[in-house]
Amino acid sequence: MPEQTRHDAWQAGDAYDRYMGRWSRRLAPHFLDRLKPEPGLDWVEVGCGTGALTEAVLARRAPHSIVAVEPSDGFRALAESRLADSHVSFRKGSAEALPADSESCDIAVSALVLNFVPDRAKALAEMRRVVRPGGRVAFYVWDYPGGGVQFMRAFWTAATALDPQAADLKEDKRFPFCTAEGLTGLAETAGLEEVTCEAVTEPTPFRDFDDFWQPFTLGAGPAPGYCASLEPKARERLKEKLRESLPTAPDGTIPMEVRAWAVTGVSH
Ligand SMILES: C[S@@+](CC[C@H](N)C(=O)[O-])C[C@H]1O[C@@H](n2cnc3c(N)ncnc32)[C@H](O)[C@@H]1O
């Protein structure tokens, strides 16, 4: 496994939810508000994870059907157990070879996934393949280069101060294309038309330092994977470095926010 991806651990759904799912769940409705899809559509979702966006589509957009694709057995099982609904079917599969028929849906979507897919052009081609002519392809990813995930940026700033070699693992270094220009270019090169790219933001208030720190120790996702791989003494040093560097309010809360780029296009 390449050095940079060795901590991309997508197995334990509950650990993922405590780290990232709790925030991606809040972001999904904003994405749908911008997309404004009509009710009764057939959807394909790529990399549904523990079901943050799937749940929002079911709750807010009255879909006719959703095919929710996810390679991780652990994540898919958790999503499936939570979202037992006759409108959604969960399938094991990858973005580069979607287990869905050509022209079988009105809209193909993806939340916080595309940057992790090795062949992004293939993933977008697959999303175009499964939508009917005139259908939409839409996705969002974190604004990593712009420091859009403040809790992740704070983590890596402290981690690389103690361990400069960890710099190669930082998402802003790994995913430099996650800018408005980079993502618009990616979508247009994939043949999408009428491409738009908008910032979507959401507060991520942490109750206290433990609320911030504990999810990093659970190992689900790149930064937690790195954190969990550290020897106990090194992990303790990182914990204390973070404790002294975070912007903590007088009541002990840690006010932060996240920003994603939401991209949409039409496939003819
Ligand atoms: C940051 S999580 C996002 C999960 C969920 N969509 C959300 O918004 O919370 C990244 C997801 O991408 C999935 N993933 C990674 N590589 C993938 C690939 N090649 N094809 C499809 N999904 C992939 C992971 O299994 C994981 O569920």
Side-chain angles (χ1 to χ4, degrees), residues 50-67:
T50 56
L53 178 57
T54 330
E55 184 176 3
V57 174
L58 281 170
R60 292 164 172 260
R61 296 295 158 181
H64 177 255
S65 69
I66 311 177
V67 171

Side-chain angles (χ1 to χ4, degrees), residues 32 39 51-52 56 65 81 89 100 109 115 132-134 159 200 202 209 214 219 225 227 234 251:
L32 294 178
S65 69
S81 70
S89 63
V109 291
N115 52 290
R132 299 181 185 113
V200 187
E202 175 67 22
F209 181 74
Q214 210 258 349
C227 186
D251 65 357

Side-chain angles (χ1 to χ4, degrees), residues 87-235:
H87 295 93
V88 58
S89 63
F90 291 92
R91 296 186 190 165
K92 186 178 176 83
S94 126
E96 293 122 314
L98 289 175
D101 290 338
S102 299
E103 301 187 9
S104 58
C105 70
D106 304 296
I107 182 164
V109 291
S110 176
L112 308 176
V113 173
L114 210 62
N115 52 290
F116 293 111
V117 178
D119 190 343
R120 289 178 279 281
K122 178 73 177 149
L124 287 170
E126 277 292 273
M127 290 171 88
R128 287 196 64 201
R129 177 182 67 77
V130 299
V131 299
R132 299 181 185 113
R136 276 196 288 175
V137 170
F139 63 90
Y140 53 100
V141 294
W142 293 126
D143 173 12
Y144 296 108
V149 193
Q150 290 183 348
F151 62 86
M152 216 182 261
R153 175 64 67 97
F155 175 89
W156 286 121
T157 300
T160 53
L162 296 170
D163 171 14
Q165 289 189 340
D168 285 346
L169 304 174
K170 289 163 62 175
E171 286 88 346
D172 48 352
K173 189 160 181 191
R174 292 177 57 192
F175 309 128
F177 58 90
C178 289
T179 59
E181 298 73 27
L183 296 166
T184 301
L186 198 64
E188 288 176 346
T189 304
L192 291 172
E193 295 175 23
E194 301 167 51
V195 172
T196 65
C197 179
E198 280 183 86
V200 187
T201 59
E202 175 67 22
T204 61
F206 295 92
R207 280 191 309 280
D208 52 27
F209 181 74
D210 276 351
D211 189 38
F212 175 94
W213 169 252
Q214 210 258 349
F216 283 105
T217 66
L218 302 176
Y226 169 79
C227 186
S229 76
L230 294 173
E231 296 293 325
K233 277 188 181 158
R235 194 156 57 238

Side-chain angles (χ1 to χ4, degrees), residues 10 16 24 47-49 52 70-72 75 94-96 111-113 116-117:
W10 311 118
Y16 170 80
S24 66
C48 69
E70 168 58 44
S72 159
F75 281 20
S94 126
E96 293 122 314
L112 308 176
V113 173
F116 293 111
V117 178

